Structure formats: C-alpha cells, structure tokens
C-alpha cells in the first residue's frame, strides 16, 4: 500500500506543472494580459523608429531614411485612407427604375471619378443635388435642392452650371422661370412667373434679363403688352411716331383717355406709360399718330445702364440741351396726379388742381388745370430722340420723363 501511494505521489508531482500550465492557458486574465502585452510590444517595436544599424536605413541621394519610419508612415497612410473612404462614401443606396444612386459628400475625392446618376451632400449633410455627373462635374440632367429639401433648379447642367432647358424656383416652391439657360442665366426663349404663380413675361431673354421680343402679363396672367424689351425694360420708343391703332395692337391693358383742346392722351397704367396724339397733327385718313411717350418711372434705362439721378442721365446721354423752370402742360399734369394717387407717395409739389368732365369711366375731358404749377425740366438729345426729365430737385432725382422725336428726326 505504501509502495502504491509513493508511486501515485511521484506521478502526480510529475504532471502537476503541466496541469498548472493548462489551467493557466485557459485563464481569461492570463490570456488578456498576454494579448495586451504582445500588442503593446508590437507597437513599441513599431514606433521605435530609431535605426540601430546601417541596414535599417534607406539611402535617398545624400539622405538616409529609417526603414522603420517609412514602414510606419505607410501603415498610417493606409489607415487614414481606409478611414477616409469609409467616412465619405455612404452605404445608403436608393433604387430608381433599376438604377442605383450612390451618395457622396461634395468634397469627396471619389466624386471626381463618378459617372452617371448620383446624390451629392452639402457640407451640412443635406442632399443638395441628385442627377448626372461626369469627370467630377455636374453634367446632364439633375435636380438642385435647398437645405429644407425644396426645389432650387431642375433641368440640364453642364460643368456645374445651368445650361439648356430647365426650371428654377422661388423659396416658397413656386416656379420662377421655365425655359433656356446659359451659364446659369436665362437666355433664349422662356417664361417668367411671379412668386404667386401668375405669369409675368413670355419671350426672349439675354444675360438673365428680358431682352428681345416678348409679351407682358398682368397679375391675373392676362396679356397686356407685346413688343420689344431691352434688358428688363420695355422699349418705350417703339410707341413713338406710330398710329394709335398700332399702339392698340401692342397694348391690351387698362386705358384711360384724357383730352382737351390741345392734347389727346392715353394713360396705359399696366406698363406705366402714356402716349400723346396731337389733334392738330391728324392725318388726312383720320388716323392719329403718337407724338410723345411719357414713362412714369423714376429711373431711366439705356441699354444695360440704369440712371436714377440727372447726373447719371448726363453720363449716358451727354450734356443737356436745356434746363430750367417750366409751366406744367396737360399731359404732365395728368401724370403728376396719377403718380400722387399711387403708392409712390407725394411726387413733386403734390397734385395739380384740375377740373374734369367724365363722359365714361375711362374717357375724361380736362376742362381746366392749374397752369401756374411749375416743374424743373432737363432736356437731352441722342439718337434722333429728345428726352425730357421732370423734377423739382436740380441735379437730383426725377419723377418721370418723356420721349419725343427731335426736330431733325
């Protein structure tokens, strides 16, 4: 019995160390310590970029570069590249007619290589664009959105610009313009709408402005004028020296007729103008020809230029041929009173006293008016036309102006 116990004790002691090692191997704390120790040693070794032998260098010209440093840089670049790709390429996909649109941030390098239908996120994270891209630029058809998800533009693009047929929108979501674009601007045929949805203009555009032949509409989208436009302004001189029938073909809006012994004046409120026909100049066939056009605006457009003071007008038309006080005439009195009755407030010295007789709501006979009412007049000549600017403030602004043919024209 003693012999057996001695043998068992010797055998047990022989395997005790092996059993202890096996138990230790399956101990979690031991394993954790071993793993962390090995990881720590790896990074200590990795970050220890100090060369210990000349074989630890790369020779670059006259320079020696640590191999371990190069290796560390390669590892870091790889980690950063992986992070960048993961962070910038969204895993979100949307299916549209069998096509899958990838989503990129606007500054993602990979967007430069994308082609076809994609989504692009703005800096703050909202979807700013959905549509075609090519070689890193928006090209083809697509839709641009604002940060609230509302439409900004929908149509054709080229090199990140509105180019071709498209539609842009007001902030309230209503359509502003539908037609052709060039370099982000309205160009060619198109239609412009007010923010309430009513049609304002249909016709030709250039550099984002009404320019060329077009039609103007009132707030109810009814046509009021057909004619030529120059950089957002009606070419009012087209109404000069033509028959009243020709004017009526162009202008379809509201009319109010004023007449006295000397003048026949038609107020066209929808285009802020009034034409004058002098009864003494009636032709033999009974047709009345326009002799003057009054423009009821306190700014003057000449080509692309706009003037709001007499000095600015002088820069456009040259030195005036006349300036000084002038007694008001009937057409000027009508315009002054009309402007004082509208939202522009008090114009010049206020209204001109006037006695009238209404035969109809839109036909008014001027029996008399205050002829002592004086204005200050500036007259300029250019291109066969005379422009008379009516003001109370010499060298300041003006209330309105008229267009007349020159004596030589």
């Amino acid at each position: 019995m003693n012999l057996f116990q001695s043998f068992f004790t010797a055998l047990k002691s022989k395997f005790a160390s092996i059993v202890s090692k096996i138990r230790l191997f399956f101990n979690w704390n031991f394993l954790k310590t071993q793993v962390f120790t090995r990881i720590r040693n790896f990074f200590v070794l990795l970050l220890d970029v100090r060369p210990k032998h000349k074989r630890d260098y790369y020779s670059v010209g006259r320079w020696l570069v640590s191999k371990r440093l190069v290796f560390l840089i390669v590892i870091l670049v790889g980690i950063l590249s992986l992070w960048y790709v993961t962070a910038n390429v969204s895993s979100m996909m949307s299916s549209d007619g069998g096509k899958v649109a990838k989503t990129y941030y606007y500054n993602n390098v990979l967007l430069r290589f994308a082609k076809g239908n994609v989504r692009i996120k703005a800096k703050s994270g909202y979807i700013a664009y959905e549509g075609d891209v090519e070689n890193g630029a928006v090209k083809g058809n697509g839709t641009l959105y604002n940060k609230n998800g509302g439409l900004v533009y929908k149509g054709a693009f080229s090199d990140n610009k509105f180019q071709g047929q498209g539609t842009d929108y007001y902030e309230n979501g209503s359509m502003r313009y539908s037609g052709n674009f060039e370099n982000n601007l309205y160009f060619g045929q198109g239609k412009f709408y007010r923010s309430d949805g009513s049609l304002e203009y249909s016709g030709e555009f250039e550099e984002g402005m009404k320019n060329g032949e077009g039609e103007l509409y009132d707030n109810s989208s009814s046509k009021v004028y057909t004619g030529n436009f120059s950089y957002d302004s009606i070419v009012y001189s087209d109404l000069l020296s033509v028959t009243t029938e020709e004017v009526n073909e162009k202008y379809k809006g509201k009319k109010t007729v004023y007449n006295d012994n000397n003048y026949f004046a038609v107020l066209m409120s929808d285009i802020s103008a009034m034409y004058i026909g002098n009864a003494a100049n009636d032709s033999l066939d009974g047709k009345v020809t326009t002799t003057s056009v009054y423009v009821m605006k306190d700014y003057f457009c000449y080509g692309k230029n706009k003037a709001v003071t007499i000095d600015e007008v002088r820069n456009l038309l040259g030195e005036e041929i006349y300036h000084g006080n002038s007694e008001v005439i009937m057409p000027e009195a009508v315009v002054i009173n009309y402007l004082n009755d509208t939202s522009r407030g008090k114009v010049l010295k206020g209204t001109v006293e006037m006695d009238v007789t209404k035969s109809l709501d839109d036909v008014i006979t001027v029996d008399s008016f205050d002829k002592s009412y004086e204005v200050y007049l500036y007259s300029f000549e250019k291109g066969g036309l005379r422009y008379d600017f009516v003001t109370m403030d010499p060298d300041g602004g003006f209330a309105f102006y008229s267009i007349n043919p020159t004596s030589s024209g």
Side-chain angles (χ1 to χ4, degrees):
M1 185 67 178
N2 291 333
L3 181 61
F4 179 76
Q5 289 180 346
S6 297
F7 175 76
F8 182 76
T9 300
L11 186 63
K12 182 179 179 181
S13 62
K14 192 135 181 107
F15 287 96
S17 60
I18 298 175
V19 172
S20 297
K21 290 180 180 181
I22 293 173
R23 287 179 177 176
L24 187 61
F25 182 78
F26 287 101
N27 184 279
W28 169 246
N29 290 328
F30 172 78
L31 290 175
K32 184 169 63 174
T33 301
Q34 288 294 315
V35 170
F36 285 150
T37 300
R38 290 179 181 274
I39 293 174
R40 183 189 62 192
N41 292 339
F42 171 77
F43 280 105
V44 168
L45 182 63
L46 180 64
L47 296 174
D48 184 12
V49 297
R50 293 173 299 175
K52 298 177 176 57
H53 193 274
K54 64 180 181 179
R55 292 192 301 269
D56 295 334
Y57 289 99
Y58 286 116
S59 178
V60 182
R62 295 185 300 171
W63 299 88
L64 294 176
V65 181
S66 170
K67 292 181 178 179
R68 290 188 177 184
L69 179 59
V70 173
F71 179 69
L72 177 61
I73 292 173
V74 170
I75 293 295
L76 291 176
V77 170
I79 293 173
L80 291 174
S81 299
L82 181 62
W83 170 82
Y84 182 83
V85 172
T86 304
N88 285 276
V89 180
S90 173
S91 61
M92 295 185 299
M93 299 289 184
S94 64
S95 178
D96 182 13
K99 295 182 179 180
V100 177
K102 291 185 177 180
T103 303
Y104 300 86
Y105 272 93
Y106 75 100
N107 59 352
N108 192 334
V109 174
L110 296 180
L111 183 58
R112 299 179 183 178
F113 308 100
K115 185 177 182 180
N117 190 39
V118 303
R119 287 179 172 180
I120 301 177
K121 286 186 176 182
K123 186 176 181 179
S124 58
Y126 71 91
I127 298 296
Y129 173 79
E130 183 172 6
D132 297 327
V133 297
E134 184 177 340
N135 298 327
V138 173
K139 186 176 182 179
N141 291 309
T143 305
L144 197 64
Y145 301 93
N146 60 31
K147 62 182 179 181
N148 298 318
L151 288 171
V152 174
Y153 171 84
K154 184 175 183 179
F157 289 83
S158 180
D159 296 326
N160 296 327
K161 296 178 180 178
F162 306 159
Q163 187 80 15
Q165 289 295 312
T167 304
D168 75 346
Y169 298 83
Y170 289 101
E171 289 188 6
N172 65 4
S174 63
M175 182 165 50
R176 175 163 47 196
Y177 170 85
S178 179
N180 196 65
F181 287 79
E182 185 173 296
N183 292 324
N184 289 332
L185 299 175
Y186 311 150
F187 193 94
Q189 288 291 327
K191 293 183 177 182
F192 187 85
Y193 298 82
R194 300 178 182 88
S195 59
D196 62 3
S198 61
L199 178 62
E200 178 179 317
Y201 172 84
S202 177
E204 295 179 313
F205 289 81
E206 185 174 335
E207 298 180 13
M209 293 176 282
K210 307 177 188 75
N211 196 70
E213 294 183 0
E215 300 170 344
L216 203 63
Y217 295 79
D218 63 15
N219 291 332
S220 62
S221 297
S222 297
K223 187 191 300 183
V224 294
Y225 183 76
T226 302
N228 291 315
F229 292 76
S230 177
Y231 299 101
D232 272 348
S233 178
I234 293 174
V235 181
Y236 289 102
S237 58
D238 285 352
L239 301 175
L240 188 64
S241 301
V242 298
T243 65
T244 55
E245 285 83 356
E246 291 176 275
V247 175
N248 291 335
E249 285 298 313
K250 291 177 177 291
Y251 180 74
K252 301 295 184 181
K254 182 181 177 181
K255 304 183 187 75
T256 305
V257 178
Y258 294 83
N259 63 81
D260 64 4
N261 293 328
N262 297 310
Y263 295 98
F264 172 81
V266 179
L267 182 68
M268 301 175 287
S269 55
D270 287 312
I271 60 171
S272 300
M274 182 172 71
Y275 70 80
I276 312 301
N278 194 321
N281 291 333
D282 286 357
S283 60
L284 295 177
D285 58 7
K287 292 183 178 181
V288 177
T289 301
T290 59
T291 58
S292 299
V293 176
Y294 283 81
V295 181
M296 299 182 290
K297 293 182 178 179
D298 56 358
Y299 60 88
F300 172 68
C301 294
Y302 196 82
K304 295 182 181 180
N305 301 299
K306 182 177 180 180
V308 296
T309 67
I310 294 298
D311 192 49
E312 290 172 346
V313 172
R314 193 177 288 120
N315 290 334
L316 295 177
L317 301 180
E319 289 296 321
E320 61 267 29
I321 60 172
Y322 170 81
H323 66 89
N325 290 310
S326 174
E327 291 183 351
V328 72
I329 60 176
M330 187 274 278
E332 293 171 346
V334 170
V335 172
I336 291 169
N337 288 351
Y338 174 81
L339 292 176
N340 276 284
D341 289 339
T342 60
S343 58
R344 275 175 58 181
K346 186 176 180 180
V347 175
L348 302 178
K349 295 185 295 184
T351 58
V352 181
E353 291 186 11
M354 183 180 292
D355 293 325
V356 300
T357 300
K358 287 187 177 181
S359 55
L360 295 170
D361 286 342
D362 55 357
V363 178
I364 299 173
T365 299
V366 179
D367 299 316
S368 65
F369 63 94
D370 182 9
K371 296 182 180 179
S372 66
Y373 190 111
E374 286 191 345
V375 295
Y376 202 87
L377 199 67
Y378 284 88
S379 297
F380 300 83
E381 285 189 359
K382 190 166 185 175
L385 297 174
R386 190 184 81 245
Y387 302 88
D388 296 330
F389 292 83
V390 179
T391 178
M392 284 296 296
D393 181 17
D395 288 321
F398 52 89
F400 58 93
Y401 64 93
S402 64
I403 310 173
N404 313 271
T406 61
S407 55
S408 59

